[in-house]
Amino acid sequence: MKSRLGDIEVGFTKRGSGRPVVMVHGLAEDRRSWALAQERLTDHRTFAYDLRGHGETTAGDGDGTLDQLAGDLARFLEAMTGPAACIGYSLGGTIVLALAAARPDLVPHAVVSGTSSVVGRAAAGFFEERIELLRADRAAFAAALREDTAAQIVTAGADLDAISARRLEAVGDGRGYVNAARAMQALHREPLTGALAGIRCPVDVIGGDADRFCPRRAADIILAELADGAYHEIADCGHLMTVDQPERYALTLRAALERPERTGG
């Protein structure tokens, strides 16, 4: 499915019925990364959409800011679901947190996984290297993306070539990757952490115990600022959760979505 929202045409997949849930993928991913989770959550009305410049969504006039990406999510919610629980992975989690802080009327529950609210100097340099590599040499970027993908998986048996090829396809012409990487890079200068105290909805933070890209410390920084936060850890799991532990991840998402009912949230 596609819909024109602001300056972009957005590709998305809808599944199931029940309470609405919107899923936001990470950098160098697209909505296909949520396929198994959508299959396991058919008692919810799930929407997985492609970020601007990723997958089937056009790049539009990207300005390289988290505010714009959060605004894209706001327009999607306003057009498709109204207020809805939002699940975000990595970059997508940062987008969800930004919108939960800015528009509490749209996000009654946030679930974020492998997510950071601040980017250190080394990570900012990593994003800059990948941006320059993508602009200069597509083949070299593809090789680097394969290396990055391998570092995000800790379990054996993953088809690294197929996963890397899917991720490279999601990157498309690269404009969306560069736009989103710039937004994340800006968190080195202006962390999102300070805005988290303003979030009043329940926030569930999911981490992989072997995630080197967003380790437990990143989750702890987020949790320390939240009024209503809970942590869930997935064993034997690196950063790329939908590949490393897809079934455990889907079960953890379900548990997180049910938390407000158990606590009266």
Side-chain angles (χ1 to χ4, degrees), residues 120-254:
R121 183 177 301 172
F126 168 86
F127 288 125
E128 186 63 33
E129 289 173 4
R130 291 296 178 267
I131 288 169
E132 294 304 318
L133 196 59
L134 179 55
R135 287 173 166 169
D137 188 335
R138 178 82 176 189
F141 174 82
L145 181 62
R146 189 182 189 280
E147 292 179 3
D148 298 341
T149 301
Q152 294 175 34
I153 301 170
V154 298
T155 55
D159 187 340
L160 186 58
D161 288 334
I163 297 163
S164 301
R166 177 181 61 77
R167 299 188 75 198
L168 188 63
E169 184 180 3
V171 169
D173 67 9
R175 287 184 294 164
Y177 182 96
V178 171
N179 184 66
R182 288 288 186 215
M184 288 301 295
Q185 193 178 41
L187 293 180
H188 177 58
R189 302 184 303 272
E190 298 181 15
L192 181 64
T193 312
L196 301 181
I199 298 176
R200 289 293 174 261
C201 71
V203 179
D204 287 80
V205 181
I206 301 172
D209 67 347
D211 187 344
R212 292 188 289 149
F213 287 74
C214 286
R216 177 63 190 266
R217 173 161 172 73
D220 287 341
I221 290 171
I222 293 170
L223 290 162
E225 302 297 324
L226 297 173
D228 183 2
Y231 182 69
H232 313 257
E233 188 165 87
I234 303 176
D236 302 317
C237 187
H239 188 63
L240 204 56
M241 297 177 185
T242 58
V243 170
D244 233 352
Q245 295 292 346
E247 293 289 352
R248 291 182 190 174
Y249 185 40
L251 287 172
T252 305
L253 291 176
R254 175 175 293 284

